[in-house]
Amino acid sequence: MSIADNLHAVRGRIADACRRADRPVGSVTLVAVSKTHPPEAIREAYAAGQRDFGENYAQELRDKIRALDDLPGIHWHAIGHLQTNKARYVAGKALVHTLDRVDLARELVRRAEGAKVEALIEVNIASEPQKRGVLPADLEMTLATLGEVEGLEVAGLMCIPPRGEVAEDSRPWFRLLRELRDRHLPSGALSMGMSLDFEVAIEEGATLVRVGTAIFGERPPS
Ligand SMILES: *Cc1c(COP(=O)(O)O)cnc(C)c1O
């Protein structure tokens, strides 16, 4: 299967999930997670109509933005943990899905040089001790603090649920993220769902799904 074939299949599954959930297909943005895959793979997906791409590592994202700056209308998403000293690689150039602290927000705004910074808050949805992100119990306070950062717009919430065996294992966590969104950020985006569970995420309200393996194939072990 080529990247174009995989994309076609994933888009079909997104459309089916939208129909099941009684949602318009246009309400879900597919972010193709291209981390570790070469720029040529991104060009192939772009040629098949894909415009949104997600990367985990700030330097890799910076390099790919440069290598692909001839592609009009491409949108970049920074979906991995972002160190404050690497904020400059993505500020103003990518939608950050993993905002989890105010010093990162301030650095993103500073480095964006006047461009408005939109970011999603990463929520540690199952309060797992080894995971990053804002705890559900701290979300309200974090939102209040981030609300004071001028030039920043918190545009939604993101989560990576505990690794499950099957897609259904993620459903309660997706549902919880949606409830937090409804309560604290009513018009915000919901970035949730990966290759294993993006259809369940759409059924639970995802507006951004982050799909890597199902589009680009297995990543080389790192
Ligand atoms: C790698 C990654 C994805 C994509 O995962 P797949 O299982 O390959 O679809 C999505 N979100 C984040 C945060 C990731 O790190």
Side-chain angles (χ1 to χ4, degrees):
M1 291 266 279
S2 68
I3 288 172
D5 291 335
N6 290 341
L7 265 172
H8 184 75
V10 168
R11 287 195 196 115
R13 289 168 61 190
I14 289 173
D16 288 343
C18 284
R19 267 189 290 277
R20 283 197 299 278
D22 214 1
R23 299 181 53 191
V25 174
S27 64
V28 178
T29 299
L30 171 61
V31 178
V33 177
S34 43
K35 63 182 176 209
T36 76
H37 295 286
E40 297 71 56
I42 298 176
R43 287 187 187 277
E44 217 176 310
Y46 183 94
Q50 182 61 30
R51 291 295 177 270
D52 288 84
F53 294 92
E55 292 281 338
N56 283 56
Y57 311 103
Q59 277 122 320
E60 185 177 347
L61 177 53
R62 174 200 59 187
D63 294 345
K64 282 177 174 164
I65 290 173
R66 279 189 195 146
L68 298 165
D69 71 351
D70 59 313
L71 300 180
I74 196 164
H75 298 139
W76 293 102
H77 300 254
I79 64 169
H81 172 67
L82 189 54
Q83 288 172 261
T84 307
N85 64 6
K86 304 224 169 100
R88 63 185 190 277
Y89 296 152
V90 308
K93 302 186 190 114
L95 175 66
V96 173
H97 289 224
T98 51
L99 182 60
D100 59 358
R101 55 196 195 281
V102 72
D103 69 322
L104 175 61
R106 292 213 180 90
E107 181 67 2
L108 284 167
V109 167
R110 194 166 78 83
R111 295 290 186 169
E113 295 172 347
K116 200 178 74 178
V117 171
E118 276 188 86
L120 313 182
I121 296 183
E122 179 173 6
V123 178
N124 182 354
I125 194 68
S127 305
E128 295 173 275
Q130 80 283 11
K131 268 210 190 144
R132 304 192 189 265
V134 177
L135 295 171
D138 296 340
L139 183 59
E140 189 167 11
M141 198 183 67
T142 303
L143 277 166
T145 313
L146 289 173
E148 285 164 16
V149 178
E150 215 167 310
L152 173 78
E153 188 192 321
V154 175
L157 304 178
M158 175 271 210
C159 78
I160 308 169
R163 179 173 292 278
E165 302 279 310
V166 293
E168 282 301 323
D169 295 340
S170 303
R171 191 181 295 276
W173 305 114
F174 293 154
R175 197 166 283 174
L176 181 56
L177 193 71
R178 186 205 179 120
E179 285 166 12
L180 291 170
R181 192 277 314 264
D182 291 348
R183 196 175 323 143
H184 297 294
L185 206 67
S187 56
L190 278 177
S191 169
M192 57 190 197
M194 317 195 343
S195 290
L196 174 73
D197 53 17
F198 67 88
E199 289 145 304
V200 170
I202 290 167
E203 289 167 13
E204 296 300 330
T207 62
L208 294 151
V209 291
R210 311 177 308 266
V211 179
T213 312
I215 296 170
F216 294 106
E218 294 292 335
R219 288 177 288 272
S222 52

